[in-house]
Amino acid sequence: MLTIVETERLSIRKITNEDAINLSKVLADPIVMQYSTVGVHSEEQIYDYITNCKNQYDLNGYGHWAIYNSITSEFVGVCGLNKHKVGTDDVIHINYRLATDQQGKGYAVESTFGVLDFAKKSLKLKAVHALIESANVSSVKVVNRTGFKFIKSSVFRGVNVDVYQVTL
């Protein structure tokens, strides 16, 4: 089963090799990847990303997923959950990247609520974190709208980030 979450307007599903061209709209876009700790992806890195997503699904039962508009089937972006060490803490954190032509439509908030619902009901998580550079005002607005609270500032992959948490 590829579909993870259905929201009012979005279908969030596992990433496959067929998503490579669509993923380039996000992962190879310097504007979208401005606040990424891994940077803009080459075509080869996009295929590595897809392989990593599949490995994460098998390993953890979650990872990054593709977001599609459930009415038009248009590619919207990616969202998902990752597990990383931040300082001394292991955290599961949410992230999302939307294609530039899909931004400003409320999809980040909608997909975040969908992923949090999945995290609570299917993964039985008690909390989810978000790691955001303070200059990334759009993402700060998304986490504020979806119930996250600022906890602390930290460093992740050499980048100063603000750590937010939502209790599920």
Side-chain angles (χ1 to χ4, degrees):
M1 174 87 168
L2 285 178
T3 301
I4 301 298
V5 178
E6 290 281 344
T7 67
E8 187 181 340
R9 301 176 294 167
L10 303 173
S11 178
I12 300 171
R13 62 165 183 73
K14 290 182 179 176
I15 289 172
T16 67
N17 290 350
E18 288 72 46
D19 292 309
I21 290 167
N22 282 328
L23 288 171
S24 69
K25 296 176 189 172
V26 174
L27 301 176
D29 184 328
I31 296 166
V32 175
M33 297 302 282
Q34 179 180 359
Y35 295 107
S36 164
T37 58
V38 292
V40 174
H41 287 48
S42 66
E43 186 176 352
E44 183 182 349
Q45 288 171 312
I46 289 171
Y47 281 100
D48 291 344
Y49 173 90
I50 293 169
T51 301
N52 183 50
C53 289
K54 292 175 181 176
N55 291 340
Q56 293 303 313
Y57 305 151
D58 293 341
L59 197 65
N60 299 316
Y62 58 82
H64 286 179
W65 300 299
I67 311 168
Y68 283 87
N69 183 308
S70 42
I71 295 137
T72 64
S73 300
E74 202 174 4
F75 178 75
V76 172
V78 294
C79 66
L81 298 167
N82 279 329
K83 186 190 289 185
H84 284 109
K85 193 172 272 305
V86 179
T88 55
D89 303 321
D90 280 320
V91 299
I92 296 176
H93 64 95
I94 192 165
N95 56 23
Y96 39 82
R97 306 229 177 270
L98 303 185
T100 49
D101 64 346
Q102 300 295 322
Q103 295 176 9
K105 300 178 180 182
Y107 292 150
V109 169
E110 189 172 331
S111 59
T112 296
F113 276 130
V115 169
L116 292 177
D117 190 55
F118 175 81
K120 180 179 182 173
K121 291 180 179 164
S122 298
L123 301 175
K124 309 291 187 230
L125 297 181
K126 301 288 180 230
V128 171
H129 292 78
L131 312 175
I132 303 173
E133 290 178 61
S134 55
N136 189 347
V137 176
S138 298
S139 283
V140 172
K141 286 180 183 170
V142 170
V143 294
N144 286 333
R145 286 186 190 134
T146 52
F148 285 78
K149 301 288 179 244
F150 173 81
I151 302 179
K152 63 181 178 181
S153 295
S154 189
V155 176
F156 176 64
R157 292 181 176 155
V159 176
N160 292 324
V161 295
D162 290 334
V163 180
Y164 293 80
Q165 179 181 312
V166 64
T167 303
L168 302 177

